[in-house]
Amino acid sequence: MSKAQETAVYTHGHHESVLRSHTWRTAANSAAYLLGSLKPHMRILDIGCGPGTITADLAALVPDGHVTGVDHAPGILEQARATAAERGLTNTDFAVADVHALDHPDDTFCVVHAHQVLQHVGDPVQALREMLRVTKPGGYVAVRDSDYAAMTWYPASSGMDGWLDLYRRVARANGGEPDAGRRLKSWALSAGFTDITATSATWTFSTPEERAWWSGLWADRTVASAYAERATRGGHATAEELRAVAEAWREWGRREDGWFAVLHAEILCRKAT
Ligand SMILES: C[S@@+](CC[C@H](N)C(=O)[O-])C[C@H]1O[C@@H](n2cnc3c(N)ncnc32)[C@H](O)[C@@H]1O
């Protein structure tokens, strides 16, 4: 029987406008729900590690342990390796892997972590089964995903409504589930998890600097990234429509009263001993 494998296309790609957001991420702003469970000796697998800033933070928190970062996209792993090297970390390694069919033996890791990954994969329940398989008895599977339909902002804007509608259509056409957050617990139950702690947390963008950064990266991503290409090639939007969405983002960013919140769902699951 052939192994399960990725059927989805990663919507964003790794354009500079996308990495502007990924490289801002830390264990503190993206994995706080997990940190209380970490011990210095732990062996961690970080799936879909991207440019590896969260991976590197996790490695610093397990100085007597080890963190393996894996990603389906080989190109981004060079940046992840560079991030770990710049920070002088010697307890990391990186490899190409598909979360649907991991190469590791059963019961290998103390913690298996994935941040903003399951929303992009073709079969999140199979992904969770694999994550559970490679987790040691008594270890943790930790997953966090945003939920696009639950993102909210002020002021109301038909251009921003258009952004959300377009993003969700493109992500689904690529085989992902943009409203993943609300589904994480259900997917974990389907994958056979029994001990699940479900929480949520937000990122808020409101100060002039935060608005400029968040609106700028989304405006640029909308016209210049793999997402833009997938939106036009898939017939979801014209280049002109994408430019209008980008301008809606910039307009929101200029609003002194502008406010944006990203809801994330988190599941911290313990494997039975
Ligand atoms: C939104 S990025 C998140 C990166 C990082 N975890 C972070 O939060 O900064 C999603 C990452 O998952 C990777 N990815 C997508 N599908 C995957 C799969 N089937 N197996 C492993 N990684 C995958 C992508 O290549 C991308 O680097």
Side-chain angles (χ1 to χ4, degrees):
M1 197 179 79
S2 65
K3 279 171 131 187
Q5 61 180 20
E6 184 59 279
T7 54
V9 174
Y10 175 45
T11 294
H12 300 288
H14 294 101
H15 184 261
E16 180 278 328
S17 58
V18 175
L19 295 180
R20 232 181 281 166
S21 160
H22 293 179
T23 55
W24 161 85
R25 297 177 189 170
T26 64
N29 71 23
S30 300
Y33 70 104
L34 165 66
L35 302 188
S37 303
L38 295 184
K39 302 274 185 302
H41 67 273
M42 281 181 159
R43 186 170 177 196
I44 300 176
L45 178 65
D46 188 21
I47 298 177
C49 65
T53 54
I54 300 172
T55 323
D57 280 0
L58 293 175
L61 291 167
V62 294
D64 306 324
H66 189 90
V67 182
T68 297
V70 296
D71 202 286
H72 199 223
I76 197 61
L77 291 174
E78 276 316 305
Q79 190 166 339
R81 286 189 187 99
T83 303
E86 275 160 27
R87 298 191 194 183
L89 294 163
T90 53
N91 61 340
T92 59
D93 71 285
F94 295 90
V96 175
D98 178 355
V99 66
H100 297 91
L102 297 166
D103 290 333
H104 302 92
D106 296 358
D107 305 342
T108 302
F109 296 97
C110 309
V111 175
V112 178
H113 170 257
H115 184 248
Q116 313 291 7
V117 178
L118 292 198
Q119 65 187 279
H120 297 295
V121 308
D123 188 345
V125 174
Q126 169 61 17
L128 283 162
R129 275 192 214 108
E130 272 296 89
M131 294 175 76
L132 186 61
R133 181 183 68 74
V134 300
T135 302
K136 285 182 180 172
Y140 298 93
V141 172
V143 175
R144 187 176 193 254
D145 268 277
S146 55
D147 189 299
Y148 274 77
M151 291 187 191
T152 191
W153 59 84
Y154 188 87
S157 144
S158 56
M160 292 284 283
D161 290 344
W163 158 74
L164 181 59
D165 175 59
L166 175 64
Y167 177 81
R168 289 171 73 235
R169 280 188 288 121
V170 174
R172 288 207 171 112
N174 288 339
E177 175 45 69
D179 306 340
R182 70 191 64 191
R183 292 174 166 84
L184 288 184
K185 182 181 164 189
S186 166
W187 288 341
L189 286 168
S190 300
F193 289 69
T194 51
D195 182 343
I196 306 168
T197 302
T199 53
S200 60
T202 55
W203 290 335
T204 307
F205 304 110
S206 162
T207 68
E209 296 75 23
E210 289 165 349
R211 293 197 317 273
W213 178 76
W214 185 241
S215 63
L217 69 87
W218 266 108
D220 292 347
R221 191 185 295 202
T222 301
V223 292
S225 67
Y227 165 67
E229 202 182 305
R230 281 163 192 153
T232 47
R233 278 218 192 135
H236 306 290
T238 62
E240 195 180 331
E241 285 164 342
L242 291 182
R243 281 195 292 276
V245 168
E247 183 45 34
W249 268 109
R250 295 201 188 282
E251 204 175 306
W252 171 81
R254 286 192 289 269
R255 288 284 299 236
E256 192 187 356
D257 56 356
W259 179 92
F260 196 108
V262 177
L263 179 80
H264 307 273
E266 303 152 341
I267 50 169
L268 186 61
C269 311
R270 195 110 200 236
K271 183 166 174 174
T273 48

